[in-house]
Amino acid sequence: MKLAVCPGSFDPIHNGHVEVIARAAKIFADGVIVAVSNNPAKTYRFGIEERLEMVREVFSLLDGVSVEAMGDGLLAEYARGRGSATILKGLRSSRDFDYESPMAAMNRNLTGVETIFLAGDPRYTQLSSSLIKEVDSLGGDVSDFVPRSVARRLAGG
């Protein structure tokens, strides 16, 4: 396996994302592109530039990981345009598989790009960016679940 694209909004990136991407960087010989997306239907806590900055900070010392804005259009077309035949998705549970599987089939049928699923570490299966934001907004301490740079931003620093 050569190069994978790992897409997501990463609002914010959390330790579950980091764990999957770091493991994938050891598997894919040419690395992993973390493709930060912007879905107009979503409301974001952090803008695209700040999310890109956070993700770049997190992976700045890890070989084999690059970070880009995905832009508009189909994920499979983006992956193919970057020279990748693989989309990487981390799974927390069978519910994630049920959600991601139809999209994987569609991407394969549209472009031939395959989706590889990597099971996340059980320590992080409860994490989602939405949950992190909700707990943080209610005054909860999420510092054990996000990288330090993200915790600082969530705290307003």
Side-chain angles (χ1 to χ4, degrees):
M1 289 188 254
K2 299 271 187 205
L3 177 68
V5 170
C6 183
S9 55
F10 304 106
D11 184 43
I13 190 166
H14 56 68
N15 292 343
H17 296 131
V18 173
E19 186 268 332
V20 165
I21 294 166
R23 284 176 33 225
K26 296 175 186 174
I27 296 169
F28 291 90
D30 291 340
V32 176
I33 299 171
V34 180
V36 181
S37 64
N38 207 24
N39 181 344
K42 285 186 174 182
T43 302
Y44 292 105
R45 164 91 184 258
F46 298 102
I48 185 74
E49 291 304 320
E50 194 165 14
R51 287 182 280 133
L52 283 163
E53 191 175 300
M54 281 189 285
V55 177
R56 285 182 180 127
E57 285 175 15
V58 168
F59 293 113
S60 65
L61 300 176
L62 184 62
D63 289 335
V65 177
S66 60
V67 180
E68 300 179 359
M70 190 178 107
D72 297 329
L74 294 172
L75 169 60
E77 291 291 344
Y78 171 83
R80 193 167 62 172
R82 298 300 292 129
S84 176
T86 308
I87 295 168
L88 171 72
K89 293 287 193 148
L91 297 180
R92 296 169 291 192
S93 68
S94 61
R95 192 172 24 172
D96 283 350
F97 179 80
D98 291 342
Y99 176 79
E100 296 289 349
S101 186
M103 289 185 284
M106 180 62 78
N107 287 331
R108 184 180 60 253
N109 288 316
L110 288 173
T111 64
V113 173
E114 291 287 351
T115 301
I116 301 291
F117 297 112
L118 193 58
D121 188 300
R123 294 176 296 168
Y124 305 119
T125 56
Q126 82 283 5
L127 294 183
S128 71
S129 295
S130 298
L131 183 58
I132 295 287
K133 289 185 291 190
E134 182 178 350
V135 170
D136 178 69
S137 73
L138 296 170
D141 180 9
V142 296
S143 60
D144 286 342
F145 309 114
V146 297
R148 275 184 245 142
S149 61
V150 174
R152 281 193 303 274
R153 280 189 170 84
L154 287 168

